[in-house]
């Protein structure tokens, strides 16, 4: 969360001359509610079901860059869908995470004690991000443009 998926995803799409899609945005648009509202109204499991469908649709319909929500990889079927795709795992350390997300209530899983929650989420998920990734790009101390270039290099893709 807050690592720069949306910022870098957009830049990457621009540099590759392809479209950009963000599954969090797709869910918000389809539901007419924020992610925080969906979590409060229906709980995380309901959000995950919407997310699973949104990722499947985005990967099937959209040939460009897709930014996934941070928890999408928790779903085994989603991980299977990512096999055979180019997948960039953008990483950062906890201090950078706190700087980038702050106490932003838009991220319900970080609403209380964000530093501790972020650490726990990463301990539970890091192996899943590594499992699906074909490239890992550290973002600490790099501008979004530098991260984008590092992703292009790691994927061995040339900008248009
Ligand atoms: N490389 C970077 N260096 C510094 N700040 C950055 C960098 N990339 C993104 N940011 C900033 O961090 C914040 C989070 O970025 P962004 O919304 O792109 O992350 P995200 O991974 O899409 O988050 P979410 O999990 O909410 O979808 C924004 O304020 C953005 O401007
Ligand atoms: O890491 C997560 O579990 C989340 C990340 C965001 O992209 C959103 O999908 C939502 O806030 C949950
Ligand atoms: Mg985002």
């Amino acid at each position: 969360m807050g690592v720069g998926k949306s910022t870098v995803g957009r830049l990457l799409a621009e540099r590759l001359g392809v479209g950009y899609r963000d599954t969090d945005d797709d869910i918000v648009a389809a539901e007419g509610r924020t992610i925080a509202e969906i979590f409060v109204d229906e709980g995380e499991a309901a959000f995950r079901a919407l997310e699973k469908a949104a990722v499947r649709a985005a990967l099937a319909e959209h040939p460009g860059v897709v930014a996934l929500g941070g928890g999408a990889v928790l779903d085994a079927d989603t991980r299977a869908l990512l096999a055979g795709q180019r997948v960039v795992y953008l990483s950062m350390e906890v201090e950078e995470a706190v700087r980038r997300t702050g106490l932003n209530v838009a991220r319900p899983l970080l609403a209380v004690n964000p530093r501790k929650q972020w650490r726990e989420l990463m301990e539970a998920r890091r192996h899943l991000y590594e499992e699906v990734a074909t490239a890992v790009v550290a973002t600490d101390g790099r501008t979004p443009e530098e991260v984008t270039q590092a992703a292009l290099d790691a994927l061995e893709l040339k900008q248009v």
Side-chain angles (χ1 to χ4, degrees):
M1 275 178 265
V3 76
K5 298 180 296 295
S6 301
T7 309
V8 172
R10 258 186 219 103
L11 283 173
L12 194 56
E14 259 172 43
R15 299 230 188 139
L16 291 169
V18 299
Y20 166 76
R21 208 159 141 173
D22 187 312
T23 61
D24 282 337
D25 294 345
D26 290 349
I27 295 166
V28 170
E31 290 293 304
R33 291 180 289 173
T34 65
I35 289 175
E37 284 167 344
I38 299 169
F39 267 71
V40 170
D41 293 348
E42 293 177 53
E44 179 171 351
F47 174 77
R48 295 296 172 210
L50 294 172
E51 177 170 59
K52 179 173 182 161
V55 173
R56 180 176 291 277
L59 293 178
E61 295 162 8
H62 180 73
V65 176
V66 179
L68 270 59
V73 295
L74 293 169
D75 185 86
D77 295 334
T78 295
R79 295 200 297 280
L81 279 181
L82 292 173
Q85 304 271 355
R86 294 181 174 103
V87 181
V88 183
Y89 163 28
L90 299 177
S91 73
M92 65 182 162
E93 298 300 325
V94 64
E95 293 313 323
E96 189 68 25
V98 171
R99 265 195 295 278
R100 291 193 199 163
T101 57
L103 296 173
N104 190 338
V105 291
R107 296 180 177 92
L109 293 179
L110 297 182
V112 181
N113 199 346
R115 190 183 302 263
K116 179 167 175 282
Q117 292 208 11
W118 189 87
R119 279 209 177 94
E120 287 176 3
L121 283 178
M122 281 307 292
E123 270 163 36
R125 294 176 177 178
R126 188 174 283 110
H127 72 109
L128 299 176
Y129 295 139
E130 288 171 351
E131 178 188 320
V132 298
T134 53
V136 182
V137 175
T139 69
D140 310 79
R142 282 172 157 168
T143 64
E145 289 73 19
E146 288 168 340
V147 174
T148 305
Q149 188 56 53
L152 285 166
D153 293 344
L155 294 168
E156 298 182 343
L157 290 171
K158 300 250 181 305
Q159 72 182 74
V160 291

